[in-house]
Amino acid sequence: MEGTGGELGGQGNWGLEDAPGLLARASLPIIPAWPLPLASSALTLLLGALTSLFLWYCYRLGSQDMQALGDGSRAGSVSGGPGGCSEAGRPSPGSSGEPGEGPRTEGLVSRRLRAYARRYSWAGMGRVRRAAQGGPGPGGGLGVLGIQRPGLLFLPDLPSAPFVPRDAQRHDVELLESSFPAILRDFGAVSCDFSGTTPLPRGWSPPLAPGCYQLLLYQAGRCQPSNCRQCPGAYRALRGLRSFMSANTFGNAGFSVLLPGARLESRCGPTNARVRCHLGLKIPPGCELVVGGEPQCWAEGHCLLVDDSFLHTVAHNGSPEDGPRVVFIVDLWHPNVAGAERQALDFVFAPDP
């Protein structure tokens, strides 16, 4: 049969031979008329909403940076007082007290890390970024078994042990041990009467605790020129070290003296990114070092590597006739902190100019 209708939906009779044409017509999209002014208005509203969202995001980001800056200003300067102590000679909260510590404001750490990334790159900064965001300890809490509690910076995924094997810093350990005679001579040149009856000579810091004295060649990442001139052998050894934290507020080096009967109670260092190297100079009987519940003792002419982010206690239980315990302390990078991470942390924790 022949159809009489001219358009789909018209009246008439259709045959099977007309089916392909009808299906083709039915498959055509039905595009409603859309007025051009209305489309332009919708696009304008969409662009306005996106612009407002972007401006709100920029405002929030700027507010966070200003809050971080304000927190950093309230916390004071990046490096603390001598040996990480207040003016009264007592260790500041969260510091290990032996020797000086670095900055304490988490917002300031994040702000400086962002500045580093803008200048260089985020490449290799995964652990450092997590450390800046998460605060001390895994997830901002306590460390391993609750006995590792760095006061400022916990770098995740670092091997944790109270005492570090000597082979981890073989070059620096062997250099310090070979310099033992020269460093011991330097101590003899700057040593004094620690009985408290006479004022301390220039260069010696106020006592960290009763019977605990120190003379620093590097304090919070800054060289102390007058002390270095008095100790040329020790200074020469420091200049030859490969992993000394010499440009970081976590980095210190110098002589530590503990008189008989003196004791430093349990405390934790500021970060697990460093390893504290103790070179024994004068070790009388009765001296004890307990780190993370593990007791150890120094030996004259030998180095002991300590992760002082673990709770540790130092004591001299000898008699007055035994004389003081003397060690030369140097802060080294943890061997598992990568070069890119060291560069970033040196930038974030750079000493004050």
Side-chain angles (χ1 to χ4, degrees), residues 94-96 101-104 131 136 148-155 158 245 248-251 268-276 306-310 331-334 337 345 349:
S95 74
S96 71
E101 310 303 355
R104 295 206 38 79
Q148 186 185 24
R149 297 183 291 188
L152 176 63
L153 182 78
F154 183 89
L155 199 62
L158 283 182
M245 303 177 78
N248 192 299
T249 55
F250 292 139
C268 291
T271 179
N272 65 330
R274 78 180 184 188
V275 171
R276 184 153 276 192
V306 178
D307 184 346
D308 73 330
S309 65
F310 285 83
D331 289 328
L332 309 175
W333 283 104
H334 190 290
V337 178
L345 291 175
F349 297 103

Side-chain angles (χ1 to χ4, degrees), residues 53-69 110-111 114 118 122 129:
L53 184 62
F54 175 73
L55 292 176
W56 175 83
Y57 172 76
C58 292
Y59 168 77
R60 291 282 303 201
L61 189 62
S63 299
Q64 291 173 359
D65 283 349
M66 291 302 295
Q67 182 180 3
L69 181 60
S110 299
R111 185 172 63 86
R114 288 197 297 271
R118 286 194 296 268
W122 282 112
R129 193 172 188 177

Side-chain angles (χ1 to χ4, degrees), residues 52 78 294-295 310 319:
S52 300
V78 170
E294 299 182 17
F310 285 83
S319 63

Side-chain angles (χ1 to χ4, degrees), residues 277-298:
C277 180
H278 291 201
L279 173 65
L281 299 180
K282 294 184 176 183
I283 312 299
C287 295
E288 184 180 48
L289 171 65
V290 180
V291 183
E294 299 182 17
Q296 276 282 4
C297 191
W298 302 271

Side-chain angles (χ1 to χ4, degrees), residues 55-284:
L55 292 176
W56 175 83
Y57 172 76
C58 292
Y59 168 77
R60 291 282 303 201
L61 189 62
S63 299
Q64 291 173 359
D65 283 349
M66 291 302 295
Q67 182 180 3
L69 181 60
D71 291 343
S73 300
R74 285 190 295 270
S77 66
V78 170
S79 61
C85 297
S86 65
E87 293 181 356
R90 296 184 179 90
S92 58
S95 74
S96 71
E98 180 190 358
E101 310 303 355
R104 295 206 38 79
T105 305
E106 201 172 308
L108 184 61
V109 173
S110 299
R111 185 172 63 86
R112 289 191 171 184
L113 186 59
R114 288 197 297 271
Y116 173 85
R118 286 194 296 268
R119 180 177 298 185
Y120 300 102
S121 169
W122 282 112
M125 293 296 104
R127 290 195 302 189
V128 178
R129 193 172 188 177
R130 279 187 287 155
Q133 294 173 347
L142 300 183
V144 177
L145 301 177
I147 58 175
Q148 186 185 24
R149 297 183 291 188
L152 176 63
L153 182 78
F154 183 89
L155 199 62
D157 303 327
L158 283 182
S160 296
F163 295 96
V164 180
R166 291 164 46 90
D167 288 344
Q169 296 288 6
R170 179 187 294 270
H171 174 272
D172 290 353
V173 165
E174 292 179 349
L175 177 60
L176 286 170
E177 290 180 349
S178 65
S179 303
F180 166 72
I183 296 175
L184 184 59
R185 282 196 302 271
D186 287 345
F187 174 75
V190 297
S191 182
C192 63
D193 178 18
F194 297 105
S195 63
T197 57
T198 58
L200 290 173
R202 183 178 180 182
W204 286 93
S205 302
L208 299 173
C212 181
Y213 301 88
Q214 61 182 15
L215 183 142
L216 297 176
L217 279 65
Y218 277 79
Q219 180 177 1
R222 301 180 65 180
C223 179
Q224 307 298 305
S226 60
N227 292 348
C228 289
R229 283 192 293 268
Q230 296 183 77
C231 306
Y235 178 70
R236 191 178 305 112
L238 291 175
R239 299 295 295 175
L241 299 177
R242 293 178 179 174
S243 55
F244 174 39
M245 303 177 78
S246 59
N248 192 299
T249 55
F250 292 139
N252 307 273
F255 299 99
S256 173
V257 176
L258 198 66
L259 299 183
R263 181 182 183 87
L264 289 174
E265 295 297 338
S266 296
R267 63 195 68 217
C268 291
T271 179
N272 65 330
R274 78 180 184 188
V275 171
R276 184 153 276 192
C277 180
H278 291 201
L279 173 65
L281 299 180
K282 294 184 176 183
I283 312 299

